[in-house]
Amino acid sequence: MCEDVSWQDIISRAVEREASDVHLTAGQRPYMRYDGVLASMDDRLLTAPFMADFCSVIMCEDQRKRLAEEKDIDLSWTFAGRRFRVNAYYQQGAPALAIRLLPERIPSLEEIGAPKAWQQMKALEQGLILVTGRTGSGKTTTLAAFIEALNSEKAYHIITLEDPIEFCYEPKQCFISQREYGQDFFSFARALRSALREMPDVILVGEIRDRETMQTALMAAASGVLVLGTLHTRSAAEAVMRIEGMFPLAQQDSIRAQVAEVLAGIFAQRLLPCCAGGRVCMSEVLLAVPAVRSLLRQGKYSQLESVMMSHQQQGMQTGQAAIEHLYRQRRIARETYEWYGDSLRMGGWQG
C-alpha cells in the first residue's frame, strides 16, 4: 500500500461510515462490513510493514508476544474517542486483524428494539439469562444495554468477566467490577467461583465456552445470583441442546434438571437489513414458564416452539413471529421477510 495511505485513514473511514467490522492482512485489500455487507475499502494491497506498524500501535509488547506464541489474541483498543474489539490472528503465516467497531455509547433497550420481555428480566434477582446468536448478531450490545438499565435503576454489585472488555460502564446506582481475561483473571470458571465470594447481585460471563464454566454458571444462578451469558447458537432450542451436549451422557439428566431450575430466559437474535438503513434486531424469546421447565427436564426440545407460540401474552415469541412483526412495522423489506421467513420454516436461520 502506498505510504500516503495510513491505518488512521482506514479506521477513520470505517468510523465515518459506522462500519461494524474492518478486516486487514498483508497481501490483500482492506475490507469493511457495512450494514452486514462486506466491501473493499481500497484497490491497493496491504503490506507486511503496514501490518507490523499497525499491530505495534494496537498491542503492547506483552500482547505481541502472546500473539506470536499463541497465534491469536483478543483485545480492546481505543482511537479518536471510539472503542474497538480486536481479534489478531495469523493466516498463511502473516498477521491479520478483525476489528469490531463498538457503538459510540451504550444504547438503551428501547433504542435497540429489544423485546419487552427484557423489562421482566430487570425484576429478577437470580437465575440464568442467555443471549445467543452468530458472531456479529449484537449479543454484547444487548447485554450492555440491559446492564446499563440495571445500572440506572438498581443498587446492585455487578461483576463482568470479559475477553476483552468492550463497553466501559460509568457507575451510577451500581458498584461495577469489570474484569478482563488475561489481565485480571486467567480462567473463566475460576474467576466465576471467585466472584461468588465478592457478594455480587449480577455476574456477566462474556461467553460461556466450556463445560466447567457452564457448570459454575448454573451453580451461581442456583445460589441466588443473576447470571448473564452468551452462546453461539441460532435458536433457543439449540442453546439448551448445546448446554446438555457439553456434559457426558451420565450427567445429562441432572444437567437438564439444573437448567430447568435456574433458567430465566433465552434471547436468540440476529441482525437484519432495515428499510431505513442500518440493521434491526430480530429476537426469538423463550421464557422459563412452568410448561417450558417441564419440557427442559424431559429433554423435549422440539416442543419448545409450540409453547412459545401459545404463550405470546407472557412475552415469548418465535423467530417467525419476530420477523412477521418487523415486516408489519415496515422495518424490513418484503425480500428480507421472505428470505429469512423461508429459512425459519426450513428449520434454521441461514445466511
Side-chain angles (χ1 to χ4, degrees):
M1 175 168 282
C2 296
E3 293 182 0
D4 61 343
V5 179
S6 65
W7 61 263
Q8 292 96 328
D9 296 327
I10 291 175
I11 299 302
S12 295
R13 287 167 59 191
V15 170
E16 183 180 350
R17 293 292 303 273
E18 284 295 328
S20 61
D21 301 275
V22 175
H23 298 277
L24 307 173
T25 192
Q28 296 190 46
R29 294 173 291 172
Y31 278 79
M32 71 175 176
R33 191 177 296 275
Y34 175 72
D35 283 354
V37 178
L38 192 66
S40 172
M41 300 179 71
D42 199 287
D43 290 334
R44 291 161 291 185
L45 307 182
L46 298 174
T47 64
F50 173 93
M51 291 300 300
D53 176 56
F54 196 15
C55 285
S56 69
V57 170
I58 292 178
M59 288 175 266
C60 66
E61 184 178 353
D62 287 344
Q63 290 169 328
R64 293 196 296 275
K65 286 181 179 178
R66 277 184 57 197
L67 175 61
E69 294 171 358
E70 301 174 17
K71 300 306 179 184
D72 79 271
I73 183 175
D74 292 311
L75 62 142
S76 56
W77 175 56
T78 301
F79 171 69
R82 293 301 298 268
R83 196 164 174 84
F84 303 83
R85 184 182 73 197
V86 181
N87 175 248
Y89 62 100
Y90 276 85
Q91 63 90 26
Q92 297 187 24
L97 298 170
I99 303 171
R100 169 68 51 83
L101 174 63
L102 299 174
E104 195 166 7
R105 61 179 179 81
I106 301 174
S108 68
L109 290 169
E110 292 75 19
E111 286 172 326
I112 64 173
K116 293 181 180 179
W118 275 109
Q119 301 301 322
Q120 301 176 38
M121 300 296 101
K122 290 194 294 185
L124 297 176
E125 295 186 351
Q126 69 180 85
L128 176 65
I129 302 172
L130 295 174
V131 181
T132 76
R134 59 181 291 182
T135 300
S137 60
K139 300 185 296 295
T140 301
T141 301
T142 296
L143 284 172
F146 180 67
I147 288 178
E148 186 64 6
L150 296 180
N151 187 24
S152 299
E153 301 173 18
K154 305 283 187 177
Y156 280 168
H157 178 197
I158 298 175
I159 297 176
T160 73
L161 307 175
E162 303 175 71
D163 182 23
I165 291 173
E166 298 186 32
F167 292 96
C168 293
Y169 303 96
E170 178 183 345
K172 296 175 182 174
Q173 301 286 346
C174 294
F175 183 88
I176 302 178
S177 304
Q178 290 190 258
R179 305 179 65 194
E180 181 166 297
Y181 178 79
Q183 174 177 292
D184 304 310
F185 67 94
F186 298 97
S187 162
F188 273 95
R190 189 178 305 164
L192 189 51
R193 287 193 294 270
S194 173
L196 292 176
R197 295 192 289 270
E198 297 156 22
M199 293 297 291
D201 299 286
V202 179
I203 300 177
L204 166 68
V205 184
E207 182 183 342
I208 302 176
R209 301 174 178 173
D210 54 58
R211 179 175 67 193
E212 187 180 9
T213 304
M214 177 58 74
Q215 194 159 28
T216 310
L218 293 172
M219 180 267 292
S223 71
V225 177
L226 184 61
V227 180
L228 313 172
T230 69
L231 288 174
H232 288 285
T233 62
R234 297 177 300 177
S235 68
E238 281 190 18
V240 288
M241 286 190 287
R242 168 78 180 279
I243 295 172
E244 181 180 318
M246 288 181 176
F247 296 86
L249 187 62
Q251 295 182 32
Q252 289 180 0
D253 284 346
S254 64
I255 290 301
R256 284 198 298 267
Q258 287 182 51
V259 172
E261 182 68 26
V262 304
L263 184 69
I266 300 176
F267 298 80
Q269 62 184 50
R270 71 168 302 139
L271 299 178
L272 305 181
C274 182
C275 288
R279 291 183 291 173
V280 62
C281 185
M282 177 179 77
S283 296
E284 179 181 84
V285 181
L286 176 72
L287 303 177
V289 298
V292 167
R293 295 190 190 280
S294 176
L295 292 176
L296 294 179
R297 290 189 189 94
Q298 301 173 69
K300 296 181 177 180
Y301 307 134
S302 62
Q303 298 181 31
L304 290 173
E305 184 170 358
S306 64
V307 175
M308 285 188 277
M309 294 174 64
S310 61
H311 288 70
Q312 294 183 59
Q313 294 298 320
Q314 283 91 339
M316 285 195 258
Q317 67 181 11
T318 63
Q320 186 66 44
I323 196 171
E324 288 175 359
H325 180 66
L326 291 175
Y327 180 60
R328 287 196 303 270
Q329 290 183 319
R330 299 184 179 180
R331 301 189 70 187
I332 59 174
R334 184 177 185 84
E335 299 79 29
T336 301
Y337 167 69
E338 292 177 346
W339 173 264
Y340 288 99
D342 289 344
S343 174
L344 287 166
R345 284 188 288 274
M346 289 188 293
W349 292 0
Q350 308 296 330

